[in-house]
Amino acid sequence: MVLRQKRILVTGGAGFLGTHLCQKLLEDGHEILCVDNFFTGSRRNIEHLLDNKRFELLRHDVTFPLFIEVDEIYNLACPASPVHYQFDPVQTTKTSVLGAINMLGLAKRLKIPILQTSTSEVYGDPTVHPQPESYWGHVNPNGIRSCYDEGKRCAETLFFDYHRQHKLKIKVARIFNTYGPFMRLDDGRVVSNFIRQALLGEDITIFGDGSQTRSFCYVTDLIDGLVRLMNTPAEVTGPINIGNPGEFSILELAETVLALTGSRSSIIRLPLPADDPKQRCPDIASAQKFLGWQPNIALEEGLKRTIPFFENLLRGGPQSTAELRIASPLAV
């Protein structure tokens, strides 16, 4: 039983992370207002929540002000994969910057805590490895990825200026690569790309020689970290890295996906995209210290939980998974 039921706003609530966060907060006994403009999010993602009396859906673009009454805000609104944030880069920057301004203004008016989902992309192509929160980054300010990287960096600036100037209660999480059910087939992320290609028997496309590394955090671990961060004392503002410090090369990921799917797909190599970071791995000492958090689900186990979701999608079946228990306990 939740100690105090809150009414919580989740922007980007019909996206990959937002769907899991809405579900987690409902399971914790809260009322949820899910806001999404459905640019990358999908109504289908949250259909299983619509009959819940404590869940409300509002179609809205956070680049416009929102006048509501809530107790907490999780700001997740922004396309997060290169395919989507590069489709309309001006709108991506506006979503990060104007969206932050509008949500911070709402939090200021209501005098409530607000959590910003920032990103490991603020570190750019890092010269420090693994990346601690104290590292300022190595970012191209005018490249094809800059709309996302710099938009998120500016949003962090706004959050900390609102905190210093207006005493606003803020939390900033820097999210590293995350994967799991409710990812889109066409989002262009490496995990979803490899699983889709393997299941369809297509060539697995690796950019460069595959030696570039990433860390992969299973989505339920990530969501647990976000909720823990929101519930820390006011003096814990972040930024705090949330991700899995286990580091894998892209080639290792491809080979693991092939083994788990039993696919006979071949691995082919394409030119490396501009500004693609060579290494990305979080230093999670702050998360361990302030949140008592660390990831529990290893990459192979997480992939075993994710692959059936994509198999269902490719068969045209429902998006639900047994692990999410989406059918029953929330429809009350």
Side-chain angles (χ1 to χ4, degrees):
M1 182 68 180
V2 66
L3 294 178
R4 183 174 80 85
Q5 186 181 82
K6 301 172 186 176
R7 179 167 167 79
I8 300 174
L9 167 62
V10 179
T11 69
F16 163 46
L17 297 182
T19 299
H20 286 272
L21 179 59
C22 287
Q23 168 132 344
K24 166 63 175 171
L25 295 172
L26 284 171
E27 289 174 346
D28 288 346
H30 300 296
E31 294 182 8
I32 305 303
L33 174 58
C34 169
V35 167
D36 206 294
N37 68 351
F38 299 120
F39 174 61
T40 56
S42 170
R43 183 183 177 90
R44 187 182 179 194
N45 284 354
I46 43 85
E47 278 183 344
H48 62 285
L49 305 177
L50 293 176
D51 290 335
N52 191 307
K53 296 177 182 178
R54 291 182 283 107
F55 182 81
E56 181 181 355
L57 173 64
L58 174 64
R59 185 166 191 160
H60 179 80
D61 187 328
V62 296
T63 61
F64 298 94
L66 186 60
F67 302 99
I68 54 171
E69 304 294 324
V70 291
D71 301 309
E72 286 180 352
I73 302 171
Y74 287 81
N75 187 36
L76 278 65
C78 188
S81 70
V83 168
H84 292 134
Y85 66 64
Q86 291 172 17
F87 174 78
D88 189 345
V90 172
Q91 185 63 26
T92 295
T93 303
K94 289 169 67 176
T95 300
S96 286
V97 178
L98 295 180
I101 290 170
N102 288 329
M103 292 304 105
L104 286 163
L106 177 62
K108 177 188 171 188
R109 178 177 70 83
L110 297 175
K111 297 180 174 61
I112 60 172
I114 178 170
L115 183 148
Q116 165 73 357
T117 52
S118 189
T119 172
S120 61
E121 297 296 333
V122 301
Y123 299 121
D125 188 3
T127 58
V128 173
H129 190 77
Q131 294 83 58
E133 293 87 350
S134 58
Y135 176 54
W136 289 359
H138 178 226
V139 179
N140 180 353
N142 50 38
I144 61 172
R145 300 169 68 104
S146 303
C147 58
Y148 185 67
D149 302 359
E150 296 288 44
K152 288 289 192 177
R153 286 164 69 95
C154 184
E156 284 198 19
T157 300
L158 286 163
F159 266 71
F160 281 95
D161 283 339
Y162 265 78
H163 173 65
R164 287 185 284 259
Q165 186 172 340
H166 302 296
K167 311 303 180 187
L168 193 64
K169 299 176 183 177
I170 67 163
K171 311 288 180 181
V172 176
R174 288 179 178 166
I175 296 174
F176 283 68
N177 288 53
T178 305
Y179 69 99
F182 293 110
M183 298 181 80
R184 286 177 52 150
L185 282 168
D186 62 349
D187 68 6
R189 290 170 168 151
V190 64
V191 172
S192 50
N193 270 357
F194 285 1
I195 294 176
R196 177 182 58 79
Q197 291 168 337
L199 292 175
L200 293 175
E202 299 174 351
D203 290 334
I204 303 290
T205 52
I206 287 180
F207 296 102
D209 62 6
S211 63
Q212 64 271 41
T213 64
R214 297 293 185 271
S215 60
F216 300 101
C217 185
Y218 189 67
V219 63
T220 55
D221 280 338
L222 184 281
I223 296 302
D224 177 52
L226 294 182
V227 173
R228 285 175 183 244
L229 177 57
M230 178 62 94
N231 292 322
T232 52
E235 60 269 20
V236 180
T237 61
I240 289 185
N241 292 335
I242 302 182
N244 193 320
E247 191 175 3
F248 296 86
S249 72
I250 298 301
L251 181 58
E252 287 177 303
L253 174 66
E255 291 171 343
T256 303
V257 169
L258 287 173
L260 293 176
T261 58
S263 173
R264 296 185 178 180
S265 295
S266 300
I267 294 176
I268 63 171
R269 289 168 172 78
L270 299 177
L272 198 65
D275 300 329
D276 191 60
K278 299 177 184 64
Q279 292 179 308
R280 188 60 60 72
C281 181
D283 180 332
I284 63 168
S286 293
Q288 292 171 320
K289 176 180 178 180
F290 294 109
L291 313 183
W293 178 88
Q294 63 182 20
N296 296 310
I297 298 174
L299 177 61
E300 184 168 330
E301 174 60 28
L303 290 172
K304 288 178 180 177
R305 300 184 186 193
T306 304
I307 289 168
F309 172 82
F310 281 90
E311 289 174 331
N312 280 335
L313 280 187
L314 291 170
R315 286 197 298 261
Q319 297 201 64
S320 60
T321 66
E323 192 234 349
L324 288 174
R325 302 186 202 94
I326 1 191
S328 54
L330 299 178
V332 295

